Amino acid sequence: MRPHSAPQHLRDQNELQLLRQDNPSFAGTLAKGMMILQCFVSDPRPQANSELAQRLGMPRPTISRLCRTLQAMGYLDHDEQLDRYFIGPAIVSLGYPYLISMPLLNQLRPAMQAMATQMMGAVSIGVAMDLDVVYLESCTHEQGTLKRPAVGAVRGIVETAMGRALLASLEENARSETLERIRNQRPDDYQRCLAGMEESLMHYRKRGFAINLGDAGLGVLAVGVASRIRYGSRQLLFNCAVPGYRVKPQELLKTIGPRLTDMVRMADAQSGLR
């Protein structure tokens, strides 16, 4: 039996069935409800039962029943005129305990804000979730970046500097397995970011940080560092993103990357890690 300690982002009914074959104790009905909610992470627009059924490969009556249940619990809302569901406020309240359980964030905000202001960009903290990273906190320059990473934003691991830093920090077998899954499940992202990802993996140990020279799109350049701090079972990841029209790539290597590395070392020290 394959271990299932890592989070699973199930894309459709077929993947759910495969997982249940390997793990009979896996609660399929609960998983189906969570799969509906996950649809709104990648596509937050209001969605109809028929769209969700087609996307997840589930019968429409099953989707309808689950959506009504999620609506009754506040995790979905329903627009009667459009006859579509959208994410409900209970989702926000569900995430609140996770964010307030990290007292280190309060200690790090001044240093993060100082760096964001100096670099005229955004400094963020995130954690990995399957093949993505989730942003937990962001401090930004008053003019922001081309795409401000809000709390709860989800980005692919290979698309972000912090995700590439995570890959570089993994043991070789775990890194190879993760990259193979990304190549199979997200081939477009993998090919688009392959060169930049490989460059970061090659130089991470020497530099101490990963980079993104805009291959993820939107003209945003970034550096990322994987800290040694654990929040539960997850490693805290740090990112500094700046608009490409303001900063030359060489500045990432000479100034921004080393500055973020120093900030993460400080965070490690504040956590009792030396």
Side-chain angles (χ1 to χ4, degrees), residues 1-2 4 17-24:
M1 179 186 298
R2 291 185 289 123
H4 294 291
Q17 290 175 346
L18 289 174
L19 188 56
R20 294 190 68 188
Q21 289 174 7
D22 284 354
N23 187 357

Side-chain angles (χ1 to χ4, degrees), residues 119-121 144-146 219-221 241-247:
M119 301 303 171
M120 301 179 70
T145 63
L146 293 181
V220 176
L221 309 184
V242 292
Y245 64 83
R246 272 195 203 136
V247 175

Side-chain angles (χ1 to χ4, degrees), residues 55-77:
R55 178 172 178 176
L56 296 175
M58 297 181 192
R60 185 168 174 174
T62 299
I63 293 292
S64 179
R65 184 175 67 253
L66 291 171
C67 283
R68 286 197 298 269
T69 302
L70 291 168
Q71 180 188 1
M73 298 180 69
Y75 296 110
L76 289 180
D77 278 341

